[in-house]
Amino acid sequence: MIAAMGIKVQKAGRSKLQDISLENLPFGKYFTDHMLEADFENGEWKNAEIKPYQPMLLNPSVAAIHYGQAIFEGIKAYKNKEGDAFIFRPLDNFKRFNISAERMQMPGVPEEIFMDGMKQLIQLDKNWIPFKEDHSLYIRPFMFASDEVIGVRPSDNYKFMIILSPTGPYYSAPMRIYVEEKYVRAVPGGVGYAKAAGNYGAALYATAQAKKKGYDQVLWMDAFEHKYVQECGTMNVFFVIGNTAITPDLEQGTILDGVTRQSSITLLKEMGFAVEERPLSMDDIIDAYKAGLLYEVFGTGTAATISMIKELRYKDFVMQFDVEKWKTAPLLKKWLTDIREGRREDKYGWMYPV
Ligand code: COI
């Protein structure tokens, strides 16, 4: 069957949903019945198709595996209590996807494939959207270079895909964070602002070292002075100091322009906080902590939503927080969840009906 916007649909026979429960799901382990696939060949996108979720047959020489021309996005879909499905701010992710594509010398994906394809795919797998606290349907669009040539050059062919994963919380408990001074995630002029697959692979070693020391994640610092805060694990990071919420700015292109980050800025302002996007040094953070003014530290991300940080270790200095007493991060999380699940007015037009 061919749907309106030219995306072919081939439906799965039996639904795998019969085999799993949508309660207490781990992050990203189960996938729905269908996936979307499209090919970039001879300078144009073609073969857009929704089909049963299945393994891919790849030639071992496929370029993405060798040189990492691969990007992705993370988006979430929710259900309200009437059972209607909504996607949270997908147009922002669509725009960011194509910004990542440009930086990685990949073709942009047209809106009809990315947005309409996503919508159609979710319509088909709507029953997979969990309705439970901290649960949602995680949407993973991605693109990779598919030339079967191992010369180092931009590929001529690409594959764009979307897969869906019913999912639970990413970081389930308040986190202990190691301030990383040796390894770096991003440099000005680099790819830190892009959602490039390699950014995540490159973070694993430092994260494993921090885990060996008993920490959950690292707080990335700037590459030159190891002084200014960038991101935390796979998240943007916020510091509530007095009545001001501070988060690193996007000027140098070293951090991701997070959709949850932007949403948090908007909601924190609505709560009455002054919000500053600016360079923030570890020295300033420590001074605020010593003065008793560093009230809360939390990460924001699509997968993580809002994750509280209960400990920050910088060199030998340990900052600990009694997260049970916090008001801001829990309220921010509640407002976001309430908007997503239809219990709070969507006054910014963030929820995109499926
Ligand atoms: C997201 O928040 O969607 C991310 O990109 C984190 C992910 C790598 C799990």
Side-chain angles (χ1 to χ4, degrees):
M1 138 187 165
I2 306 270
M5 66 289 290
I7 297 174
K8 213 170 122 191
V9 179
Q10 190 197 326
K11 286 196 183 164
R14 176 185 178 276
S15 175
K16 293 178 294 181
L17 195 48
Q18 298 163 32
D19 309 328
I20 71 158
S21 146
L22 294 183
E23 302 268 315
N24 303 319
L25 290 162
F27 179 85
K29 180 165 182 214
Y30 299 106
F31 297 93
T32 65
D33 292 322
H34 299 92
M35 64 186 197
L36 178 135
E37 198 172 323
D39 297 310
F40 186 81
E41 287 169 12
N42 300 318
E44 59 176 342
W45 284 101
K46 50 177 75 155
N47 310 331
E49 181 176 13
I50 290 174
K51 57 183 182 185
Y53 184 92
Q54 58 194 269
M56 289 188 282
L57 190 62
L58 292 177
N59 191 302
S61 61
V62 78
I65 302 175
H66 298 271
Y67 307 121
Q69 238 193 325
I71 60 169
F72 71 97
E73 268 304 327
I75 309 173
K76 278 179 172 172
Y78 299 82
K79 249 190 218 165
N80 63 17
K81 62 178 183 321
E82 287 77 38
D84 307 315
F86 293 86
I87 314 173
F88 186 71
R89 306 188 70 173
L91 278 160
D92 297 81
N93 297 84
F94 166 61
K95 286 181 199 140
R96 189 174 66 185
F97 189 79
N98 281 341
I99 290 171
S100 300
E102 184 184 16
R103 180 63 182 84
M104 295 302 289
Q105 193 55 42
M106 301 166 95
V109 173
E111 191 164 338
E112 308 84 78
I113 297 182
F114 191 104
M115 292 298 302
D116 298 345
M118 181 191 328
K119 206 168 150 174
Q120 255 185 274
L121 183 62
I122 292 174
Q123 272 161 0
L124 211 53
D125 283 342
K126 191 175 150 194
N127 290 343
W128 287 82
I129 305 177
F131 188 70
K132 188 175 188 251
E133 198 187 343
D134 284 332
H135 285 58
S136 58
L137 185 68
Y138 187 79
I139 307 166
R140 171 53 63 88
F142 59 103
M143 170 167 48
F144 61 92
S146 56
D147 271 12
E148 295 168 355
V149 179
I150 55 169
V152 183
R153 57 159 179 72
S155 188
D156 290 327
N157 299 284
Y158 295 85
K159 202 172 263 302
F160 171 71
M161 301 184 70
I162 306 180
I163 54 175
L164 307 173
S165 174
T167 223
Y170 192 71
Y171 301 119
S172 45
M175 294 186 294
R176 298 179 67 221
I177 300 295
Y178 184 81
V179 180
E180 180 56 64
E181 284 189 283
K182 180 172 177 189
Y183 305 105
V184 297
R185 175 186 174 276
V187 293
V191 294
Y193 68 89
K195 222 159 163 60
N199 282 344
Y200 295 79
L204 296 177
Y205 182 76
T207 309
Q209 300 298 310
K211 284 192 173 158
K212 274 190 204 155
K213 296 182 190 117
Y215 292 85
D216 299 304
Q217 280 292 335
V218 298
L219 179 62
W220 299 105
M221 307 295 283
D222 75 281
F224 299 133
E225 298 176 83
H226 301 292
K227 191 172 165 188
Y228 294 97
V229 172
Q230 289 184 341
E231 287 187 14
C232 183
T234 63
M235 305 178 292
N236 294 115
V237 64
F238 284 74
F239 295 79
V240 179
I241 299 180
N243 195 31
T244 306
I246 308 171
T247 192
D249 61 276
L250 307 172
E251 292 300 303
Q252 292 195 309
T254 48
I255 65 172
L256 204 71
D257 183 0
V259 178
T260 313
R261 173 187 181 276
Q262 288 298 350
S263 311
S264 300
I265 291 173
T266 303
L267 295 183
L268 286 164
K269 285 182 181 163
E270 193 181 323
M271 285 176 195
F273 282 95
V275 181
E276 292 177 6
E277 295 174 66
R278 63 164 169 90
L280 179 63
S281 71
M282 222 42 232
D283 290 344
D284 288 345
I285 291 167
I286 289 173
D287 286 349
Y289 180 80
K290 286 183 176 162
L293 289 172
L294 178 54
Y295 297 142
E296 300 190 21
V297 187
F298 54 87
T300 67
T302 297
T305 62
I306 307 294
S307 287
M308 298 190 281
I309 293 172
K310 67 174 182 186
E311 184 177 320
L312 262 182
R313 184 196 182 98
Y314 179 57
K315 301 183 198 278
D316 288 330
F317 190 70
V318 176
M319 290 171 261
Q320 280 171 329
F321 305 93
D322 186 358
V323 298
E324 296 297 323
K325 298 209 172 104
W326 285 7
K327 300 253 168 5
T328 310
L331 186 63
L332 182 57
K333 186 169 175 185
K334 180 174 182 332
W335 280 18
L336 267 173
T337 312
D338 286 351
I339 294 170
R340 287 164 167 164
E341 292 172 7
R343 287 181 299 271
R344 189 179 170 86
E345 186 196 351
D346 175 25
K347 61 171 137 171
Y348 306 104
W350 287 342
M351 302 314 292
Y352 182 93
V354 171

